[in-house]
Each structure stands twice: as C-alpha cells, then as structure tokens.
Amino acid sequence: MFPAPQLNDMTELVAAAKKVASARHPVSFSGAGLSAESGIATFRDKNDNALWSKFNPAELASQDGFKANPELVIDWYNARRQTAAAAQPNAAHTTLGARKGWIHITQNVDTLLEAGGVSPENVLHLHGTLDEDHCNNQCGYSSKVNMLAPEGLKHCPRCDAYLRPSVVWFGEQLPENVFNQALHAVQQCDLLLVVGTSAQVMPAAGLIDIARENGAHIIVVNKENTPKTHSEDTVLIGSAATVLPQLFTS
Ligand code: OAD
C-alpha cells in the first residue's frame, strides 16, 4: 500500500540497520502511524479517515467537551475501544516486540505494542490507554474496561462523579510519572527510532529534540516527510510495517 524504500535508499537503510544493531540504549517513539496498518485511524493524515478531519477534538477530547455532552464523548471512545479490541498487531509491532532491551515511548492509546510482544513495563503510554476508566473528579478510583463490550456513561462508585477514559485530553497534563520516565529514557538513549508520528503535539514531540540534543541519533520511519526532522537525522520513507522488519534484518 505504501512505497517501501527504493533501491537507491538501500545504502541508507543498511547504514540505519547498523546503527540499530549497535545501539546500546535504543528507544522507540511512536505515533498513530505505527498502528495504521492494524486498521486504527490516525489523527492528521491527509485522508478522510483521519480522526481530526472527521471529528472535533474540542467536543470529543477536552474537559469542556465532556462537560457539555458526556454521553457523546463516552460513545465515541467506546467505538474506538471496540476498533482497538478487534485490531491485531502488525509487522511493525511484532518486530519491536521481538527485540529485547528497548524502551518504547508511545503516544498511542491502543496496546498493540504489548500485543506484539513488548513487555508492558517497557511501554510508556504518554497519552494514557483506552482500556481503563478513572473518576473525572480525580477521587482516585479507576477500573479496567471491557474493550469488546464497553459500558456507556457510568458514575464513580466512590464519589458519584462521571467516569472517563484514562487518556489525556487537550489542555491536560501528561501523567507525570510516565513523562518523567520517558524524559529519562530520551536523555540516556543513543538511538531514537521515531515511527509514524506527525510530531506536532507537545510536550510529547519535544522528546525527539531532547534526545537529539543529548547526542542520540534519530531514525525517522514515516510514510511521508515530516517537517520536524533535521538534516542529520536518518529518514526512511515507507510504511512502518514494511520498513521496520527491513531495518532489523538488513
Ligand atoms: P498523527 O495522525 O498526527 O500523525 C500520524 C503520522 O503517521 C503522520 O506523520 C503519517 O504520515 C504517519 N503514518 C501514517 N500511516 C503510516 C504508516 N503506515 N507507516 C508509517 N507512518 C505512517 O498522529 P500522532 O503523531 O500520533 O493525542 O498524533 C499525536 C497525538 O495527536 C495523538 O496521540 C493524539 C492526537 O491528538 C491525544 O489524543 C492526546
């Protein structure tokens, strides 16, 4: 579906593969493009399926939107949960899952890296996950969600406020503990493999700059060029599920 690196990219691919193989502290940083070939919509692709071209993030992914219409928000997340529950890890997830010693920072709220074989303790979900709810009043209550058959809008059994998905909405802080671990990882890494992100959403995208400033080599895998890459980065154009297996075997 997407162009694999052409023959004239092979030198670059082989050089990148060597960097991957020799990295002592490798970290991946991923976005929605990692899961696109598993059938999960991205947010900003230039196609009609991209979530933010069909839906309004202010209505569906913000505290104000939730206050205005909580049922709408929960129904939208429940539809996304069912899509995620039906999705299978693709070759990009399983390629990463087969490698030990990596830390994976992801903006994705699915758990396909874990389904692809990555140990959950090695995945840092910067934007939370779909498989959990917590109290919108922050009383401390949280519960796992049945992703295949999620329930509609529910009240917190402790304090009666609404329950909401444990994902980060616009205007909200990232989970502090997870962000600090990610920060530590990019400060220590010698290689950052950036897969399938438009790198537009802060503070997550800022982690790429921090890795670069700390001396890591950046390898970007994306189906198109992204504006935030630097001339010293390696850029491999192609789909994640095509390029990642090549990167780890070349
Ligand atoms: P975006 O939708 O902004 O970007 C997806 C990127 O993946 C684009 O650069 C595409 O070119 C690339 N892409 C698409 N399909 C690909 C494929 N098969 N292989 C490789 N690359 C591919 O998604 P994110 O960067 O993840 O936040 O968006 C960041 C955040 O914005 C999300 O976590 C979400 C959203 O608002 C929250 O929900 C808090």
Side-chain angles (χ1 to χ4, degrees), residues 2 30-34 36-37 42-45 52 77 107-108 127 168-170 195-201 221-224 226 238-241:
F2 302 110
S30 54
L34 175 68
E37 289 155 282
T42 62
F43 295 91
R44 298 176 185 79
D45 269 52
W52 296 154
Y77 276 96
Q107 299 161 93
N108 295 347
H127 292 164
V168 175
W169 284 336
F170 287 94
V195 185
T197 178
S198 60
Q200 288 187 36
V201 174
V221 176
N222 200 298
K223 66 174 190 170
E224 59 188 37
T226 54
S239 92

PDB file of all heavy atoms in Angstrom, residues 2 30-34 36-37 42-45 52 77 107-108 127 168-170 195-201 221-224 226 238-241, ligand 1:
ATOM      1  N   PHE A   2       1.967   1.221   0.763  1.00  0.00           N
ATOM      2  CA  PHE A   2       2.861   2.380   0.818  1.00  0.00           C
ATOM      3  C   PHE A   2       4.182   2.013   0.167  1.00  0.00           C
ATOM      4  O   PHE A   2       4.583   0.853   0.194  1.00  0.00           O
ATOM      5  CB  PHE A   2       3.123   2.792   2.266  1.00  0.00           C
ATOM      6  CG  PHE A   2       1.863   3.115   3.012  1.00  0.00           C
ATOM      7  CD1 PHE A   2       1.409   2.281   4.011  1.00  0.00           C
ATOM      8  CD2 PHE A   2       1.126   4.241   2.701  1.00  0.00           C
ATOM      9  CE1 PHE A   2       0.245   2.563   4.692  1.00  0.00           C
ATOM     10  CE2 PHE A   2      -0.038   4.531   3.379  1.00  0.00           C
ATOM     11  CZ  PHE A   2      -0.483   3.688   4.373  1.00  0.00           C
ATOM     12  N   SER A  30       6.710   6.412  19.218  1.00  0.00           N
ATOM     13  CA  SER A  30       5.758   6.140  18.137  1.00  0.00           C
ATOM     14  C   SER A  30       4.494   6.971  18.250  1.00  0.00           C
ATOM     15  O   SER A  30       4.157   7.525  19.294  1.00  0.00           O
ATOM     16  CB  SER A  30       5.391   4.647  18.120  1.00  0.00           C
ATOM     17  OG  SER A  30       4.929   4.230  19.378  1.00  0.00           O
ATOM     18  N   GLY A  31       3.815   7.007  17.091  1.00  0.00           N
ATOM     19  CA  GLY A  31       2.528   7.676  16.999  1.00  0.00           C
ATOM     20  C   GLY A  31       1.562   6.813  16.209  1.00  0.00           C
ATOM     21  O   GLY A  31       1.841   5.632  15.922  1.00  0.00           O
ATOM     22  N   ALA A  32       0.463   7.418  15.825  1.00  0.00           N
ATOM     23  CA  ALA A  32      -0.652   6.683  15.244  1.00  0.00           C
ATOM     24  C   ALA A  32      -0.266   5.890  13.988  1.00  0.00           C
ATOM     25  O   ALA A  32      -0.881   4.853  13.701  1.00  0.00           O
ATOM     26  CB  ALA A  32      -1.782   7.652  14.927  1.00  0.00           C
ATOM     27  N   GLY A  33       0.752   6.359  13.249  1.00  0.00           N
ATOM     28  CA  GLY A  33       1.166   5.628  12.041  1.00  0.00           C
ATOM     29  C   GLY A  33       1.643   4.227  12.339  1.00  0.00           C
ATOM     30  O   GLY A  33       1.559   3.341  11.479  1.00  0.00           O
ATOM     31  N   LEU A  34       2.122   3.967  13.555  1.00  0.00           N
ATOM     32  CA  LEU A  34       2.570   2.613  13.925  1.00  0.00           C
ATOM     33  C   LEU A  34       1.407   1.627  13.856  1.00  0.00           C
ATOM     34  O   LEU A  34       1.587   0.464  13.492  1.00  0.00           O
ATOM     35  CB  LEU A  34       3.169   2.626  15.343  1.00  0.00           C
ATOM     36  CG  LEU A  34       3.578   1.275  15.934  1.00  0.00           C
ATOM     37  CD1 LEU A  34       4.769   0.682  15.176  1.00  0.00           C
ATOM     38  CD2 LEU A  34       3.928   1.405  17.412  1.00  0.00           C
ATOM     39  N   ALA A  36      -1.485   2.210  12.114  1.00  0.00           N
ATOM     40  CA  ALA A  36      -2.372   2.465  10.970  1.00  0.00           C
ATOM     41  C   ALA A  36      -2.646   1.189  10.183  1.00  0.00           C
ATOM     42  O   ALA A  36      -3.782   0.923   9.760  1.00  0.00           O
ATOM     43  CB  ALA A  36      -1.766   3.536  10.067  1.00  0.00           C
ATOM     44  N   GLU A  37      -1.595   0.369  10.007  1.00  0.00           N
ATOM     45  CA  GLU A  37      -1.785  -0.860   9.213  1.00  0.00           C
ATOM     46  C   GLU A  37      -2.474  -1.966  10.011  1.00  0.00           C
ATOM     47  O   GLU A  37      -2.711  -3.048   9.486  1.00  0.00           O
ATOM     48  CB  GLU A  37      -0.440  -1.322   8.652  1.00  0.00           C
ATOM     49  CG  GLU A  37       0.028  -0.368   7.558  1.00  0.00           C
ATOM     50  CD  GLU A  37       1.539  -0.384   7.385  1.00  0.00           C
ATOM     51  OE1 GLU A  37       2.241   0.250   8.213  1.00  0.00           O
ATOM     52  OE2 GLU A  37       2.002  -1.027   6.442  1.00  0.00           O
ATOM     53  N   THR A  42      -5.442   7.214  12.031  1.00  0.00           N
ATOM     54  CA  THR A  42      -4.534   8.237  12.550  1.00  0.00           C
ATOM     55  C   THR A  42      -5.361   9.513  12.809  1.00  0.00           C
ATOM     56  O   THR A  42      -6.577   9.527  12.623  1.00  0.00           O
ATOM     57  CB  THR A  42      -3.394   8.519  11.556  1.00  0.00           C
ATOM     58  OG1 THR A  42      -3.974   9.021  10.358  1.00  0.00           O
ATOM     59  CG2 THR A  42      -2.581   7.265  11.265  1.00  0.00           C
ATOM     60  N   PHE A  43      -4.675  10.564  13.224  1.00  0.00           N
ATOM     61  CA  PHE A  43      -5.377  11.803  13.556  1.00  0.00           C
ATOM     62  C   PHE A  43      -5.295  12.854  12.457  1.00  0.00           C
ATOM     63  O   PHE A  43      -6.228  13.580  12.205  1.00  0.00           O
ATOM     64  CB  PHE A  43      -4.800  12.398  14.861  1.00  0.00           C
ATOM     65  CG  PHE A  43      -5.054  11.515  16.040  1.00  0.00           C
ATOM     66  CD1 PHE A  43      -4.141  10.548  16.426  1.00  0.00           C
ATOM     67  CD2 PHE A  43      -6.246  11.607  16.749  1.00  0.00           C
ATOM     68  CE1 PHE A  43      -4.385   9.710  17.501  1.00  0.00           C
ATOM     69  CE2 PHE A  43      -6.508  10.777  17.825  1.00  0.00           C
ATOM     70  CZ  PHE A  43      -5.568   9.822  18.205  1.00  0.00           C
ATOM     71  N   ARG A  44      -4.112  12.942  11.820  1.00  0.00           N
ATOM     72  CA  ARG A  44      -3.895  14.076  10.922  1.00  0.00           C
ATOM     73  C   ARG A  44      -3.474  13.688   9.520  1.00  0.00           C
ATOM     74  O   ARG A  44      -2.965  14.522   8.790  1.00  0.00           O
ATOM     75  CB  ARG A  44      -2.822  15.018  11.504  1.00  0.00           C
ATOM     76  CG  ARG A  44      -3.215  15.602  12.820  1.00  0.00           C
ATOM     77  CD  ARG A  44      -2.141  16.455  13.442  1.00  0.00           C
ATOM     78  NE  ARG A  44      -2.594  16.866  14.742  1.00  0.00           N
ATOM     79  CZ  ARG A  44      -2.570  16.092  15.832  1.00  0.00           C
ATOM     80  NH1 ARG A  44      -2.067  14.878  15.777  1.00  0.00           N
ATOM     81  NH2 ARG A  44      -3.038  16.546  16.984  1.00  0.00           N
ATOM     82  N   ASP A  45      -3.592  12.415   9.149  1.00  0.00           N
ATOM     83  CA  ASP A  45      -3.231  12.052   7.775  1.00  0.00           C
ATOM     84  C   ASP A  45      -4.100  12.829   6.798  1.00  0.00           C
ATOM     85  O   ASP A  45      -5.229  13.209   7.137  1.00  0.00           O
ATOM     86  CB  ASP A  45      -3.459  10.553   7.547  1.00  0.00           C
ATOM     87  CG  ASP A  45      -2.219   9.751   7.851  1.00  0.00           C
ATOM     88  OD1 ASP A  45      -1.675   9.937   8.954  1.00  0.00           O
ATOM     89  OD2 ASP A  45      -1.809   8.970   6.993  1.00  0.00           O
ATOM     90  N   TRP A  52      -9.110  13.627  13.196  1.00  0.00           N
ATOM     91  CA  TRP A  52      -9.344  15.065  13.370  1.00  0.00           C
ATOM     92  C   TRP A  52      -9.785  15.760  12.077  1.00  0.00           C
ATOM     93  O   TRP A  52     -10.012  16.959  12.070  1.00  0.00           O
ATOM     94  CB  TRP A  52      -8.131  15.772  13.975  1.00  0.00           C
ATOM     95  CG  TRP A  52      -7.763  15.352  15.386  1.00  0.00           C
ATOM     96  CD1 TRP A  52      -6.521  15.434  15.920  1.00  0.00           C
ATOM     97  CD2 TRP A  52      -8.611  14.851  16.441  1.00  0.00           C
ATOM     98  NE1 TRP A  52      -6.528  14.992  17.231  1.00  0.00           N
ATOM     99  CE2 TRP A  52      -7.798  14.625  17.572  1.00  0.00           C
ATOM    100  CE3 TRP A  52      -9.965  14.533  16.541  1.00  0.00           C
ATOM    101  CZ2 TRP A  52      -8.294  14.123  18.785  1.00  0.00           C
ATOM    102  CZ3 TRP A  52     -10.459  14.022  17.748  1.00  0.00           C
ATOM    103  CH2 TRP A  52      -9.641  13.838  18.836  1.00  0.00           C
ATOM    104  N   TYR A  77     -15.498   7.239  22.449  1.00  0.00           N
ATOM    105  CA  TYR A  77     -14.376   6.426  22.946  1.00  0.00           C
ATOM    106  C   TYR A  77     -14.716   4.944  22.921  1.00  0.00           C
ATOM    107  O   TYR A  77     -13.861   4.103  22.636  1.00  0.00           O
ATOM    108  CB  TYR A  77     -13.939   6.880  24.344  1.00  0.00           C
ATOM    109  CG  TYR A  77     -12.981   8.043  24.246  1.00  0.00           C
ATOM    110  CD1 TYR A  77     -13.421   9.339  24.370  1.00  0.00           C
ATOM    111  CD2 TYR A  77     -11.637   7.828  23.952  1.00  0.00           C
ATOM    112  CE1 TYR A  77     -12.552  10.414  24.226  1.00  0.00           C
ATOM    113  CE2 TYR A  77     -10.754   8.886  23.808  1.00  0.00           C
ATOM    114  CZ  TYR A  77     -11.217  10.171  23.946  1.00  0.00           C
ATOM    115  OH  TYR A  77     -10.347  11.213  23.777  1.00  0.00           O
ATOM    116  N   GLN A 107       2.675   7.505  21.891  1.00  0.00           N
ATOM    117  CA  GLN A 107       1.526   8.388  22.076  1.00  0.00           C
ATOM    118  C   GLN A 107       0.224   7.610  21.875  1.00  0.00           C
ATOM    119  O   GLN A 107      -0.859   8.150  22.061  1.00  0.00           O
ATOM    120  CB  GLN A 107       1.589   9.534  21.061  1.00  0.00           C
ATOM    121  CG  GLN A 107       2.820  10.411  21.200  1.00  0.00           C
ATOM    122  CD  GLN A 107       3.076  11.223  19.935  1.00  0.00           C
ATOM    123  OE1 GLN A 107       2.628  12.357  19.804  1.00  0.00           O
ATOM    124  NE2 GLN A 107       3.787  10.645  18.996  1.00  0.00           N
ATOM    125  N   ASN A 108       0.352   6.351  21.470  1.00  0.00           N
ATOM    126  CA  ASN A 108      -0.841   5.585  21.120  1.00  0.00           C
ATOM    127  C   ASN A 108      -1.577   5.087  22.359  1.00  0.00           C
ATOM    128  O   ASN A 108      -0.952   4.647  23.325  1.00  0.00           O
ATOM    129  CB  ASN A 108      -0.464   4.404  20.220  1.00  0.00           C
ATOM    130  CG  ASN A 108       0.076   4.872  18.885  1.00  0.00           C
ATOM    131  OD1 ASN A 108      -0.054   6.042  18.547  1.00  0.00           O
ATOM    132  ND2 ASN A 108       0.688   3.980  18.129  1.00  0.00           N
ATOM    133  N   HIS A 127       0.053   9.232  26.453  1.00  0.00           N
ATOM    134  CA  HIS A 127      -1.307   9.777  26.382  1.00  0.00           C
ATOM    135  C   HIS A 127      -2.339   8.835  26.990  1.00  0.00           C
ATOM    136  O   HIS A 127      -3.528   8.940  26.700  1.00  0.00           O
ATOM    137  CB  HIS A 127      -1.664  10.106  24.925  1.00  0.00           C
ATOM    138  CG  HIS A 127      -0.850  11.251  24.377  1.00  0.00           C
ATOM    139  ND1 HIS A 127      -0.752  11.534  23.029  1.00  0.00           N
ATOM    140  CD2 HIS A 127      -0.121  12.193  25.010  1.00  0.00           C
ATOM    141  CE1 HIS A 127       0.030  12.603  22.860  1.00  0.00           C
ATOM    142  NE2 HIS A 127       0.431  13.020  24.046  1.00  0.00           N
ATOM    143  N   VAL A 168      -5.273  11.188  27.804  1.00  0.00           N
ATOM    144  CA  VAL A 168      -5.013  12.618  28.021  1.00  0.00           C
ATOM    145  C   VAL A 168      -5.832  13.422  27.018  1.00  0.00           C
ATOM    146  O   VAL A 168      -5.805  13.147  25.814  1.00  0.00           O
ATOM    147  CB  VAL A 168      -3.505  12.905  27.838  1.00  0.00           C
ATOM    148  CG1 VAL A 168      -3.227  14.393  27.939  1.00  0.00           C
ATOM    149  CG2 VAL A 168      -2.697  12.140  28.879  1.00  0.00           C
ATOM    150  N   TRP A 169      -6.553  14.395  27.518  1.00  0.00           N
ATOM    151  CA  TRP A 169      -7.317  15.286  26.648  1.00  0.00           C
ATOM    152  C   TRP A 169      -6.562  16.595  26.435  1.00  0.00           C
ATOM    153  O   TRP A 169      -5.638  16.938  27.200  1.00  0.00           O
ATOM    154  CB  TRP A 169      -8.692  15.583  27.289  1.00  0.00           C
ATOM    155  CG  TRP A 169      -9.670  14.445  27.175  1.00  0.00           C
ATOM    156  CD1 TRP A 169      -9.662  13.446  26.237  1.00  0.00           C
ATOM    157  CD2 TRP A 169     -10.799  14.196  28.014  1.00  0.00           C
ATOM    158  NE1 TRP A 169     -10.726  12.589  26.445  1.00  0.00           N
ATOM    159  CE2 TRP A 169     -11.438  13.024  27.520  1.00  0.00           C
ATOM    160  CE3 TRP A 169     -11.353  14.841  29.126  1.00  0.00           C
ATOM    161  CZ2 TRP A 169     -12.586  12.503  28.099  1.00  0.00           C
ATOM    162  CZ3 TRP A 169     -12.498  14.312  29.708  1.00  0.00           C
ATOM    163  CH2 TRP A 169     -13.112  13.161  29.204  1.00  0.00           C
ATOM    164  N   PHE A 170      -6.975  17.317  25.414  1.00  0.00           N
ATOM    165  CA  PHE A 170      -6.333  18.610  25.148  1.00  0.00           C
ATOM    166  C   PHE A 170      -6.474  19.510  26.378  1.00  0.00           C
ATOM    167  O   PHE A 170      -7.530  19.566  27.007  1.00  0.00           O
ATOM    168  CB  PHE A 170      -6.943  19.266  23.908  1.00  0.00           C
ATOM    169  CG  PHE A 170      -6.502  18.575  22.642  1.00  0.00           C
ATOM    170  CD1 PHE A 170      -7.275  17.581  22.068  1.00  0.00           C
ATOM    171  CD2 PHE A 170      -5.279  18.874  22.058  1.00  0.00           C
ATOM    172  CE1 PHE A 170      -6.855  16.909  20.920  1.00  0.00           C
ATOM    173  CE2 PHE A 170      -4.844  18.213  20.921  1.00  0.00           C
ATOM    174  CZ  PHE A 170      -5.625  17.235  20.356  1.00  0.00           C
ATOM    175  N   VAL A 195       8.649   6.509  14.928  1.00  0.00           N
ATOM    176  CA  VAL A 195       7.820   5.775  13.964  1.00  0.00           C
ATOM    177  C   VAL A 195       6.409   6.356  13.895  1.00  0.00           C
ATOM    178  O   VAL A 195       5.703   6.422  14.909  1.00  0.00           O
ATOM    179  CB  VAL A 195       7.704   4.274  14.365  1.00  0.00           C
ATOM    180  CG1 VAL A 195       6.933   3.497  13.297  1.00  0.00           C
ATOM    181  CG2 VAL A 195       9.079   3.656  14.571  1.00  0.00           C
ATOM    182  N   GLY A 196       6.008   6.792  12.712  1.00  0.00           N
ATOM    183  CA  GLY A 196       4.603   7.093  12.456  1.00  0.00           C
ATOM    184  C   GLY A 196       3.995   8.181  13.312  1.00  0.00           C
ATOM    185  O   GLY A 196       2.874   8.034  13.788  1.00  0.00           O
ATOM    186  N   THR A 197       4.731   9.267  13.464  1.00  0.00           N
ATOM    187  CA  THR A 197       4.127  10.414  14.169  1.00  0.00           C
ATOM    188  C   THR A 197       4.349  11.688  13.382  1.00  0.00           C
ATOM    189  O   THR A 197       5.406  11.874  12.773  1.00  0.00           O
ATOM    190  CB  THR A 197       4.679  10.566  15.607  1.00  0.00           C
ATOM    191  OG1 THR A 197       4.077  11.722  16.203  1.00  0.00           O
ATOM    192  CG2 THR A 197       6.189  10.699  15.651  1.00  0.00           C
ATOM    193  N   SER A 198       3.346  12.560  13.426  1.00  0.00           N
ATOM    194  CA  SER A 198       3.494  13.871  12.779  1.00  0.00           C
ATOM    195  C   SER A 198       4.328  14.798  13.656  1.00  0.00           C
ATOM    196  O   SER A 198       4.709  15.879  13.226  1.00  0.00           O
ATOM    197  CB  SER A 198       2.118  14.495  12.510  1.00  0.00           C
ATOM    198  OG  SER A 198       1.415  14.676  13.727  1.00  0.00           O
ATOM    199  N   ALA A 199       4.599  14.380  14.877  1.00  0.00           N
ATOM    200  CA  ALA A 199       5.443  15.143  15.818  1.00  0.00           C
ATOM    201  C   ALA A 199       4.959  16.584  15.975  1.00  0.00           C
ATOM    202  O   ALA A 199       5.738  17.523  16.003  1.00  0.00           O
ATOM    203  CB  ALA A 199       6.915  15.097  15.373  1.00  0.00           C
ATOM    204  N   GLN A 200       3.653  16.715  16.087  1.00  0.00           N
ATOM    205  CA  GLN A 200       3.071  18.056  16.211  1.00  0.00           C
ATOM    206  C   GLN A 200       2.551  18.355  17.600  1.00  0.00           C
ATOM    207  O   GLN A 200       2.202  19.487  17.908  1.00  0.00           O
ATOM    208  CB  GLN A 200       1.887  18.194  15.240  1.00  0.00           C
ATOM    209  CG  GLN A 200       2.305  18.290  13.806  1.00  0.00           C
ATOM    210  CD  GLN A 200       1.103  18.592  12.925  1.00  0.00           C
ATOM    211  OE1 GLN A 200       0.207  19.332  13.307  1.00  0.00           O
ATOM    212  NE2 GLN A 200       1.075  18.003  11.749  1.00  0.00           N
ATOM    213  N   VAL A 201       2.383  17.307  18.415  1.00  0.00           N
ATOM    214  CA  VAL A 201       1.709  17.516  19.699  1.00  0.00           C
ATOM    215  C   VAL A 201       2.748  17.577  20.822  1.00  0.00           C
ATOM    216  O   VAL A 201       3.518  16.642  21.035  1.00  0.00           O
ATOM    217  CB  VAL A 201       0.667  16.401  19.951  1.00  0.00           C
ATOM    218  CG1 VAL A 201       0.068  16.508  21.330  1.00  0.00           C
ATOM    219  CG2 VAL A 201      -0.431  16.493  18.900  1.00  0.00           C
ATOM    220  N   VAL A 221      10.912   6.847  10.723  1.00  0.00           N
ATOM    221  CA  VAL A 221      10.203   5.995   9.758  1.00  0.00           C
ATOM    222  C   VAL A 221       8.799   6.567   9.619  1.00  0.00           C
ATOM    223  O   VAL A 221       8.045   6.642  10.597  1.00  0.00           O
ATOM    224  CB  VAL A 221      10.128   4.529  10.239  1.00  0.00           C
ATOM    225  CG1 VAL A 221       9.303   3.685   9.272  1.00  0.00           C
ATOM    226  CG2 VAL A 221      11.532   3.948  10.410  1.00  0.00           C
ATOM    227  N   ASN A 222       8.473   7.001   8.415  1.00  0.00           N
ATOM    228  CA  ASN A 222       7.174   7.632   8.195  1.00  0.00           C
ATOM    229  C   ASN A 222       6.821   7.446   6.727  1.00  0.00           C
ATOM    230  O   ASN A 222       7.702   7.381   5.880  1.00  0.00           O
ATOM    231  CB  ASN A 222       7.230   9.131   8.539  1.00  0.00           C
ATOM    232  CG  ASN A 222       5.847   9.721   8.791  1.00  0.00           C
ATOM    233  OD1 ASN A 222       4.997   9.729   7.899  1.00  0.00           O
ATOM    234  ND2 ASN A 222       5.610  10.200   9.997  1.00  0.00           N
ATOM    235  N   LYS A 223       5.543   7.396   6.439  1.00  0.00           N
ATOM    236  CA  LYS A 223       5.181   7.214   5.035  1.00  0.00           C
ATOM    237  C   LYS A 223       5.384   8.508   4.239  1.00  0.00           C
ATOM    238  O   LYS A 223       5.323   8.497   3.024  1.00  0.00           O
ATOM    239  CB  LYS A 223       3.761   6.688   4.887  1.00  0.00           C
ATOM    240  CG  LYS A 223       2.698   7.617   5.333  1.00  0.00           C
ATOM    241  CD  LYS A 223       1.326   7.056   4.998  1.00  0.00           C
ATOM    242  CE  LYS A 223       0.320   8.164   5.261  1.00  0.00           C
ATOM    243  NZ  LYS A 223      -1.002   7.878   4.770  1.00  0.00           N
ATOM    244  N   GLU A 224       5.630   9.608   4.945  1.00  0.00           N
ATOM    245  CA  GLU A 224       5.982  10.840   4.225  1.00  0.00           C
ATOM    246  C   GLU A 224       6.938  11.679   5.071  1.00  0.00           C
ATOM    247  O   GLU A 224       7.102  11.423   6.277  1.00  0.00           O
ATOM    248  CB  GLU A 224       4.747  11.654   3.872  1.00  0.00           C
ATOM    249  CG  GLU A 224       3.915  12.061   5.055  1.00  0.00           C
ATOM    250  CD  GLU A 224       2.583  12.696   4.626  1.00  0.00           C
ATOM    251  OE1 GLU A 224       2.001  12.236   3.619  1.00  0.00           O
ATOM    252  OE2 GLU A 224       2.145  13.633   5.310  1.00  0.00           O
ATOM    253  N   THR A 226       8.264  14.503   7.398  1.00  0.00           N
ATOM    254  CA  THR A 226       7.613  15.341   8.409  1.00  0.00           C
ATOM    255  C   THR A 226       8.474  16.583   8.629  1.00  0.00           C
ATOM    256  O   THR A 226       9.699  16.508   8.537  1.00  0.00           O
ATOM    257  CB  THR A 226       7.419  14.573   9.736  1.00  0.00           C
ATOM    258  OG1 THR A 226       8.668  14.049  10.151  1.00  0.00           O
ATOM    259  CG2 THR A 226       6.424  13.446   9.585  1.00  0.00           C
ATOM    260  N   GLY A 238       8.386   5.207   4.094  1.00  0.00           N
ATOM    261  CA  GLY A 238       7.688   3.958   3.806  1.00  0.00           C
ATOM    262  C   GLY A 238       6.781   3.623   4.968  1.00  0.00           C
ATOM    263  O   GLY A 238       6.767   4.325   5.984  1.00  0.00           O
ATOM    264  N   SER A 239       6.016   2.569   4.815  1.00  0.00           N
ATOM    265  CA  SER A 239       5.099   2.225   5.898  1.00  0.00           C
ATOM    266  C   SER A 239       5.865   1.524   7.028  1.00  0.00           C
ATOM    267  O   SER A 239       6.849   0.813   6.783  1.00  0.00           O
ATOM    268  CB  SER A 239       3.980   1.330   5.372  1.00  0.00           C
ATOM    269  OG  SER A 239       4.317  -0.023   5.519  1.00  0.00           O
ATOM    270  N   ALA A 240       5.391   1.721   8.223  1.00  0.00           N
ATOM    271  CA  ALA A 240       6.059   1.145   9.399  1.00  0.00           C
ATOM    272  C   ALA A 240       6.157  -0.377   9.286  1.00  0.00           C
ATOM    273  O   ALA A 240       7.205  -0.958   9.584  1.00  0.00           O
ATOM    274  CB  ALA A 240       5.288   1.535  10.659  1.00  0.00           C
ATOM    275  N   ALA A 241       5.078  -1.016   8.831  1.00  0.00           N
ATOM    276  CA  ALA A 241       5.067  -2.485   8.785  1.00  0.00           C
ATOM    277  C   ALA A 241       6.000  -3.023   7.703  1.00  0.00           C
ATOM    278  O   ALA A 241       6.399  -4.185   7.748  1.00  0.00           O
ATOM    279  CB  ALA A 241       3.645  -2.988   8.561  1.00  0.00           C
TER     280      ALA A 241
HETATM  281  P1  OAD B   1      -0.879  11.915  13.558  1.00  0.00           P
HETATM  282  O1  OAD B   1      -2.132  11.452  12.909  1.00  0.00           O
HETATM  283  O2  OAD B   1      -0.731  13.352  13.852  1.00  0.00           O
HETATM  284  O3  OAD B   1       0.355  11.502  12.629  1.00  0.00           O
HETATM  285  C1  OAD B   1       0.447  10.213  12.091  1.00  0.00           C
HETATM  286  C2  OAD B   1       1.738  10.139  11.311  1.00  0.00           C
HETATM  287  O4  OAD B   1       1.904   8.800  10.891  1.00  0.00           O
HETATM  288  C3  OAD B   1       1.786  11.003  10.053  1.00  0.00           C
HETATM  289  O5  OAD B   1       3.030  11.692  10.015  1.00  0.00           O
HETATM  290  C4  OAD B   1       1.688   9.996   8.901  1.00  0.00           C
HETATM  291  O6  OAD B   1       2.444  10.407   7.756  1.00  0.00           O
HETATM  292  C5  OAD B   1       2.295   8.768   9.533  1.00  0.00           C
HETATM  293  N1  OAD B   1       1.786   7.492   9.012  1.00  0.00           N
HETATM  294  C6  OAD B   1       0.518   7.154   8.691  1.00  0.00           C
HETATM  295  N2  OAD B   1       0.431   5.883   8.339  1.00  0.00           N
HETATM  296  C7  OAD B   1       1.680   5.367   8.445  1.00  0.00           C
HETATM  297  C8  OAD B   1       2.247   4.081   8.239  1.00  0.00           C
HETATM  298  N3  OAD B   1       1.511   3.047   7.852  1.00  0.00           N
HETATM  299  N4  OAD B   1       3.562   3.924   8.442  1.00  0.00           N
HETATM  300  C9  OAD B   1       4.339   4.971   8.833  1.00  0.00           C
HETATM  301  N5  OAD B   1       3.861   6.204   9.046  1.00  0.00           N
HETATM  302  C10 OAD B   1       2.553   6.400   8.866  1.00  0.00           C
HETATM  303  O7  OAD B   1      -0.677  11.010  14.850  1.00  0.00           O
HETATM  304  P2  OAD B   1       0.258  11.267  16.102  1.00  0.00           P
HETATM  305  O8  OAD B   1       1.524  11.902  15.695  1.00  0.00           O
HETATM  306  O9  OAD B   1       0.316  10.008  16.858  1.00  0.00           O
HETATM  307  O10 OAD B   1      -3.285  12.824  21.154  1.00  0.00           O
HETATM  308  O11 OAD B   1      -0.608  12.307  16.919  1.00  0.00           O
HETATM  309  C11 OAD B   1      -0.173  12.721  18.194  1.00  0.00           C
HETATM  310  C12 OAD B   1      -1.337  12.918  19.113  1.00  0.00           C
HETATM  311  O12 OAD B   1      -2.302  13.778  18.493  1.00  0.00           O
HETATM  312  C13 OAD B   1      -2.130  11.666  19.428  1.00  0.00           C
HETATM  313  O13 OAD B   1      -1.559  10.891  20.463  1.00  0.00           O
HETATM  314  C14 OAD B   1      -3.444  12.235  19.859  1.00  0.00           C
HETATM  315  C15 OAD B   1      -3.640  13.296  18.799  1.00  0.00           C
HETATM  316  O14 OAD B   1      -4.427  14.385  19.178  1.00  0.00           O
HETATM  317  C16 OAD B   1      -4.202  12.639  22.099  1.00  0.00           C
HETATM  318  O15 OAD B   1      -5.218  12.013  21.900  1.00  0.00           O
HETATM  319  C17 OAD B   1      -3.846  13.266  23.395  1.00  0.00           C
END
